[in-house]
Amino acid sequence: MLSPERFNVDREMPSERLIVALLHIAKRDYAETPGPRDIIYKLKLRELKMLLTHAQWAESNPAKQKLSAPHRPWRCVGISAESPIFFVDLFWGPDNPDQAIRSVLVSSPEELIEIVTEVGPDRCRVFHLGLANGRRDGQPALTEVTGLRSHRAPGNPMKWYVYADAQGCQHACVSWSPRADETSVWEEELVLNIRAL
């Protein structure tokens, strides 16, 4: 995992400087690593999937801060271009301990598995948020997700994720994901029963 601790980076530095520092580390590793450079660099940046914010976007209204405690309120969050973004719509009832958070944006398939497992697949609905990524002709899209699968080459622990839509089509979570072939090892990671909703 590309983290501040791994590279002895100051965790207390402002978030925008921390991100720049991690990007420089990824570029340095990329330059020093032999092999197919475009794939290696993307694998390094793959660890930088995240939602972003900065101090100016923090909620400054004391009343709103108190209402949202123990959570930290933000007025805006940004999305990094390489992140697959999932929108988790949570179903709440009287037994839910946290009524403040009604929906969650998740920036990787691994975290999606964790969140859905935590709340329960029958207590949420998941969508993939397709972004235009700065293209004027691009159309953002919200696609309902019915499941998440992974594939990997035999003997290789590196997993690549695909999500299934309501029509049964599979879509790679990241654009540079290698295609599965007849030797690929598949695993069901998450099944969402949308018919039960």
Side-chain angles (χ1 to χ4, degrees), residues 17-173:
R17 284 188 49 218
L18 176 60
I19 291 162
V20 169
L22 291 174
L23 281 168
H24 282 300
I25 290 163
K27 287 179 181 177
R28 181 199 65 205
D29 287 358
Y30 162 67
E32 294 172 357
T33 308
R37 300 216 181 274
D38 57 335
I39 296 296
I40 291 166
Y41 186 41
K42 283 181 174 179
L43 288 177
K44 298 288 183 189
L45 291 182
R46 187 169 179 249
E47 298 179 341
L48 290 172
K49 294 177 292 210
M50 62 187 84
L51 300 170
L52 309 172
T53 191
H54 53 73
Q56 291 88 336
W57 290 351
E59 179 54 67
S60 58
N61 184 314
K64 290 183 179 178
Q65 289 176 355
K66 192 170 256 188
L67 281 172
S68 53
H71 306 293
R72 291 188 62 190
W74 297 92
R75 294 178 293 109
C76 316
V77 293
I79 299 171
S80 63
E82 297 294 346
S83 297
I85 298 298
F86 296 97
F87 174 78
V88 182
D89 187 24
L90 304 171
F91 303 140
W92 293 110
D95 58 335
N96 292 104
D98 188 348
Q99 294 284 336
I101 297 177
R102 300 300 177 101
S103 302
V104 182
L105 286 176
V106 184
S107 63
S108 78
E110 295 89 348
E111 276 87 19
L112 177 64
I113 294 166
E114 187 178 318
I115 291 287
V116 172
T117 301
E118 183 181 321
V119 301
D122 59 333
R123 299 184 70 168
C124 65
R125 184 169 40 193
V126 177
F127 299 85
H128 177 264
L129 176 58
L131 304 175
N133 283 335
R135 297 186 311 272
R136 289 182 186 273
D137 59 344
Q139 291 295 320
L142 204 57
T143 305
E144 189 153 15
V145 174
T146 61
L148 191 68
R149 302 178 75 202
S150 67
H151 64 88
R152 60 180 176 80
N156 187 340
M158 169 71 83
K159 290 183 176 183
W160 298 94
Y161 292 89
V162 298
Y163 66 91
D165 63 22
Q167 287 71 45
C169 299
Q170 292 189 148
H171 310 271
C173 288

Side-chain angles (χ1 to χ4, degrees), residues 158-194:
M158 169 71 83
K159 290 183 176 183
W160 298 94
Y161 292 89
V162 298
Y163 66 91
D165 63 22
Q167 287 71 45
C169 299
Q170 292 189 148
H171 310 271
C173 288
V174 291
S175 60
W176 62 87
S177 174
R179 288 181 180 239
D181 60 26
E182 63 278 357
T183 68
S184 296
V185 178
W186 285 91
E187 188 177 344
E188 295 290 339
E189 301 282 355
L190 200 57
V191 176
L192 297 157
N193 184 12
I194 62 168

